[in-house]
Amino acid sequence: MTHDDRQEFLKILQAHADTVAICDACAATTRDLAAEVRRGGVPAHDALDATIAEAERVLADLIAVRAEVDRLRRSLS
């Protein structure tokens, strides 16, 4: 891999890392808002439980994605 190729690949990895951070923030916000609304009992609890579970699933999935992106970035830096 040439130096230029490596630099371009690092840019791509940084873009993916930024995307992961955005997804993480969105999922955390969704989870936190759903939990707050649930405490107020406005929507059906089943619907809120499903939203919370999905947000938790996304957050859990992002752990492995973030780790791999970080590993690749470290190996190429």
Side-chain angles (χ1 to χ4, degrees), residues 16-35:
H16 285 293
D18 293 345
T19 300
V20 168
I22 291 166
C23 291
D24 184 62
C26 290
T29 300
T30 299
R31 179 200 57 212
D32 295 345
L33 287 173

Side-chain angles (χ1 to χ4, degrees), residues 2 4-7 14-17 19 25-26 28 30 35-36 49-50 53 62-64 66 68:
T2 69
D4 289 341
D5 291 340
R6 177 182 230 126
Q7 292 305 102
Q14 183 60 52
H16 285 293
T19 300
C26 290
T30 299
E36 184 63 31
D49 288 341
L62 287 172
I63 291 168
R66 184 182 301 111
E68 181 61 13

